[in-house]
Amino acid sequence: MLVSRRPRTFAARLDSRTASTPFARHLLRAYLTALPTGDHYADTAELLLGELVANAVQHSSAPPDRLVEVRFSVVRDLLRLEVHDAGAGRPSVHTAGTDEERGRGLFLVNELAERWGCCPRSGGIGKFVWALIAPALATV
């Protein structure tokens, strides 16, 4: 009998710096490679994870020596992404002007994720932002 096993939750702590964003996407690609249908999540998940990590690094009020944690898991066929940071502020969606180069990250998360939100971390320090990603329909 062949038993299909899914990877369990993956978690990694990364430095709170800009270079952690592409590394987090690399870790997500490796995680998704182990899933039989991981490629159905890949494009949207990598984009949204990049935005969430970039926001945690750039906008967190936490001291610069604090780490950012990423977590990935599949829950009822939805990919759950979490980005934890020690900052106190809660993210909100803003509408960026046409001439602004930044400020669209959470707009993309809001538009492309099935759901997303922000919760306090256990222990009372910081928060985590989560997003649920539905698999893309396979194209023939």
Side-chain angles (χ1 to χ4, degrees), residues 52-71:
L52 294 176
V53 173
N55 281 350
V57 168
Q58 294 170 7
H59 301 297
S60 174
S61 59
D65 64 338
R66 300 294 177 159
L67 299 175
V68 172
E69 182 174 320
V70 294
R71 293 184 190 176

Side-chain angles (χ1 to χ4, degrees), residues 61 66 84-89 119-128:
S61 59
R66 300 294 177 159
H84 297 239
D85 68 61
C119 300
R121 289 174 63 195
S122 62
I125 297 174
K127 65 180 172 305
F128 69 95

Side-chain angles (χ1 to χ4, degrees), residues 9-34:
T9 299
F10 172 85
R13 291 186 177 144
L14 310 173
D15 290 333
S16 184
R17 56 190 183 108
T18 305
S20 292
T21 300
F23 186 62
R25 288 193 305 259
H26 171 77
L27 293 172
L28 178 60
R29 274 192 301 277
Y31 176 82
L32 292 174
T33 298

Side-chain angles (χ1 to χ4, degrees), residues 6 32 35-45 48 73-80 112-115 131-139:
R6 288 191 171 165
L32 292 174
L35 296 175
T37 59
D39 58 327
H40 295 176
Y41 302 98
D43 294 337
T44 301
L48 298 189
S73 60
V74 176
V75 180
R76 288 183 228 99
D77 292 328
L78 294 175
L79 175 65
R80 181 178 174 94
L112 298 176
E114 286 292 305
R115 292 187 308 278
L132 296 176
I133 314 297
L137 297 175
T139 57

